[in-house]
Amino acid sequence: MLHHTLKISLVAAACGLAFATTANAEEVTTERHQAEITTVAEGLNFPWGLAFLPNGDALITEKSGTLRRVGTDGVISTPISGVPEVVYKSQGGLLDVALDPNFAENEYVYLSYSEADPAGGPGNSTAVARGKLVGNNLQEVEVIFRGAPKYESGAHFGSRLVFSPEGYLFVTLGDRYSAMDDAQTLDNHHGKVVRIWPDGSVPEDNPFVGQDDALPEIWSYGHRNVQGAAIHPDTGKLWTVEHGPKGGDEINIPEAGANYGWPVATYGVDYDGSIISDKTHVEGTVQPHYYWVPSIATSNMIFYTGSEFPAWQGDLLVGALKGSQVARLDLEGDRVMHEETLFAEAISGRIRDIEQGPDGAIYVITDDRNGQFIRISNADD
Amino acid sequence: MLHHTLKISLVAAACGLAFATTANAEEVTTERHQAEITTVAEGLNFPWGLAFLPNGDALITEKSGTLRRVGTDGVISTPISGVPEVVYKSQGGLLDVALDPNFAENEYVYLSYSEADPAGGPGNSTAVARGKLVGNNLQEVEVIFRGAPKYESGAHFGSRLVFSPEGYLFVTLGDRYSAMDDAQTLDNHHGKVVRIWPDGSVPEDNPFVGQDDALPEIWSYGHRNVQGAAIHPDTGKLWTVEHGPKGGDEINIPEAGANYGWPVATYGVDYDGSIISDKTHVEGTVQPHYYWVPSIATSNMIFYTGSEFPAWQGDLLVGALKGSQVARLDLEGDRVMHEETLFAEAISGRIRDIEQGPDGAIYVITDDRNGQFIRISNADD
């Protein structure tokens, strides 16, 4: 049921850059809407994180360590200066980007990334830095969070950055793969969601503050590799989505201090088919809110609230690396009533981030050497 | 991932009947269990309803109007006498069969069926009769419910019969297709779930008792064609599953007096693609608990509670006419966490009823001229 309305428009070489802007649009029939998929820009090098500036421009990270601004016209800027040095290795590099809720006043931009050991050791961990975005420069950059311990691995860094309505900053982390057992202990940041203030200080009411052998930043634990997070628009609660191993991608609604089971309870098996745990239910751990078997390889997710797609308002849209899909979960309250697979045939590429634009359209970036920045807009009659 | 372990065994011609019993088994890999699918009996003529007797024999209705006993050895009996006359036309005929919760004492068997107008008019409606099963005879047969009005149609009779823990009998009904608008008014039984006592009397606390222009048997309304029902083993609440049109099969948890929206609110369109309602949300109507687009053409469902498949305990298993599938919904409390499609490649035929046997195995019947009675058992290593 795909209508191909291919329109190739002018390729503009702007600002002396080699990047091209394109506008080929494809129309897709979904259950509730016709959607038009337009490539706004391409030539991004493994883009990972996407955030919109108040003027409609996008900030996009590239995993290799560059942060760029992409205009609504598709023009991609030169790298923004001042970005911290990253460990660009396997899944590591420059990861998410988020704007301060008071960006208009304070100009703070937050970046998550894999950071080398400042002491010179072989390990690395996910860190979060912030700086003030002035023109194309990030200024007064400071590291506000450093995952502990530094660990030698190129895998499972998380990480997504979201602000709660109260102004807390949630940082979602990974278990570093070979350190998966650490997800069950509280003396490290592996497999945790952490909650900090935007300046990096620890909220006094965090669940493990004052507990011996527990890191005070921890909000919830027993996670595997949490690469998606969003705040529910009505309840204000954090929702996360994490990669399972082979099977067992999970949506959770992390509560303070709760244990989400990894790796002692899981609906998945290891990539080679071997059993990590034969248990899906373990006393003291919380069941997922929703899960996928087989995995769709979840990346980020949003609660859609725009006017562009009225029938999708309140739905959870989950980007996936597998099948070039967005899973639309139709929610009634917190309950999933229905899942629709969107765009699987119309987008080619692993969907690495999904965001709602200031215009109400949906934007995704694809995880590729020639990564695309794609706009999804309404094409109803 | 199908292992074919085809074993053809002796075909027994028993009791002078032409029906054959077979035992060909196929092993299927699912997410949590290996399952073995065995054809216990075949040669049933459009079987519709299935219920197990205390000794493990099955009672199976055939739509044309016969009720038979099928032994655990696959031997199919001659027709049980005393079954009411049915209107065998399109979707109409002898439909569900259920045992009284006190069957061991009172021997009551309940049958739902499409009944002609006793006054001789051209209409018909779903009725429920009960009788005492003595040997192969149904005795003291009495009609305990007659859907109103009688209406000339061969479509959408419902109907499933389930007893609540308190001893109420729920009868699920259809909207008679061309009378769909009646589902929104209370002066008829079209598109309703009704609640009666086993003798047909009306419970005094039914939601519309004493209300002018409302039939007192009505429990909930705004349904389309409810062909599946089960009582949640923990909460004791009624759950139903109904066919949508093209899209929009729904699971509901019908509350007393509530309106489930059909046909003013639906996630489906008419079979020819035309719009029945462009609304999914209408004030005063309840959203489905879970829904399918596209339709899987739901038939009956069970909450699985047996020891045969430990990892499926508490799950909702929904039979479907399309794709020969059973949808396994993994529940946490009432919430659907995950859906798995079971047996789609291993069973050929529309699954018309699904029940849990006294042995904990799962049994289905297929809607076919040569209908099968199939046992699904555990084949884990």
Side-chain angles (χ1 to χ4, degrees), chain B residues 285-308:
Chain B
T285 69
V286 180
Q287 283 293 294
H289 189 70
Y290 189 79
Y291 69 89
W292 286 269
V293 175
S295 293
I296 61 172
T298 52
S299 52
N300 196 17
M301 66 184 182
I302 58 170
F303 289 97
Y304 182 76
T305 59
S307 56
E308 181 83 358

Side-chain angles (χ1 to χ4, degrees), chain A residues 133-167:
Chain A
L133 183 67
V134 180
N136 256 18
N137 308 301
L138 209 58
Q139 301 178 348
E140 303 175 39
V141 175
E142 53 184 340
V143 177
I144 60 166
F145 173 77
R146 280 200 165 95
K150 294 290 178 186
Y151 184 80
E152 197 173 354
S153 166
H156 295 195
F157 293 93
S159 58
R160 202 59 68 177
L161 303 171
V162 289
F163 287 91
S164 79
E166 305 87 356

Side-chain angles (χ1 to χ4, degrees), chain A residues 306-354:
Chain A
S307 56
E308 180 84 358
F309 295 104
W312 294 350
Q313 283 170 4
D315 294 356
L316 189 59
L317 304 179
V318 185
L321 302 176
K322 271 194 206 154
S324 311
Q325 68 176 285
V326 172
R328 180 177 72 90
L329 301 182
D330 189 355
L331 301 181
E332 174 73 4
D334 286 351
R335 188 180 83 240
V336 177
M337 287 196 294
H338 176 60
E339 177 177 349
E340 180 183 11
T341 299
L342 297 174
F343 316 133
E345 292 171 59
I347 295 178
S348 66
R350 295 148 50 92
I351 293 177
R352 180 46 91 185
D353 196 1
I354 179 168

Side-chain angles (χ1 to χ4, degrees), chain A residues 187-200:
Chain A
D187 60 352
N188 65 80
H189 291 123
H190 295 164
K192 308 299 189 298
V193 171
V194 305
R195 187 177 79 156
I196 55 179
W197 290 115
D199 65 359

Side-chain angles (χ1 to χ4, degrees), chain B residues 68-257:
Chain B
R68 297 179 190 270
R69 186 191 291 261
V70 181
T72 49
D73 54 3
V75 176
I76 301 171
S77 79
T78 52
I80 291 169
S81 68
V83 170
E85 196 169 337
V86 306
V87 177
Y88 179 39
K89 173 183 168 184
S90 187
Q91 299 172 7
L94 185 58
L95 303 174
D96 203 21
V97 54
L99 266 58
D100 193 286
N102 299 316
F103 176 83
E105 288 90 56
N106 64 24
E107 301 176 314
Y108 274 126
V109 168
Y110 297 74
L111 296 168
S112 68
Y113 59 103
S114 42
E115 185 201 45
D117 184 350
N124 56 55
S125 73
T126 304
V128 180
R130 70 171 179 180
K132 293 184 180 234
L133 183 68
V134 180
N136 256 19
N137 308 302
L138 209 58
Q139 302 178 348
E140 302 174 39
V141 174
E142 54 185 338
V143 177
I144 60 167
F145 173 77
R146 279 200 166 97
K150 294 289 176 185
Y151 183 80
E152 196 173 354
S153 166
H156 295 194
F157 293 92
S159 56
R160 202 59 69 176
L161 303 171
V162 289
F163 287 91
S164 80
E166 305 86 358
Y168 297 110
L169 173 59
F170 286 105
V171 184
T172 70
L173 298 167
D175 69 353
R176 313 307 312 284
Y177 190 49
S178 50
M180 64 174 73
D181 291 339
D182 289 355
Q184 285 295 315
T185 52
L186 297 170
D187 60 352
N188 66 81
H189 290 123
H190 295 164
K192 308 299 189 296
V193 171
V194 305
R195 186 177 78 157
I196 54 179
W197 290 114
D199 64 0
S201 62
V202 174
E204 283 180 22
D205 60 344
N206 264 10
F208 299 110
V209 164
Q211 180 172 320
D212 285 350
D213 297 330
L215 297 182
E217 298 88 358
I218 297 173
W219 174 256
S220 60
Y221 66 111
H223 298 284
R224 188 171 177 274
N225 194 18
V226 190
Q227 297 202 323
I231 303 293
H232 191 291
D234 296 330
T235 66
K237 283 199 174 181
L238 174 71
W239 289 43
T240 60
V241 65
E242 67 186 72
H243 289 270
K246 188 175 170 187
D249 294 352
E250 296 185 358
I251 289 176
N252 291 299
I253 309 176
E255 297 283 347

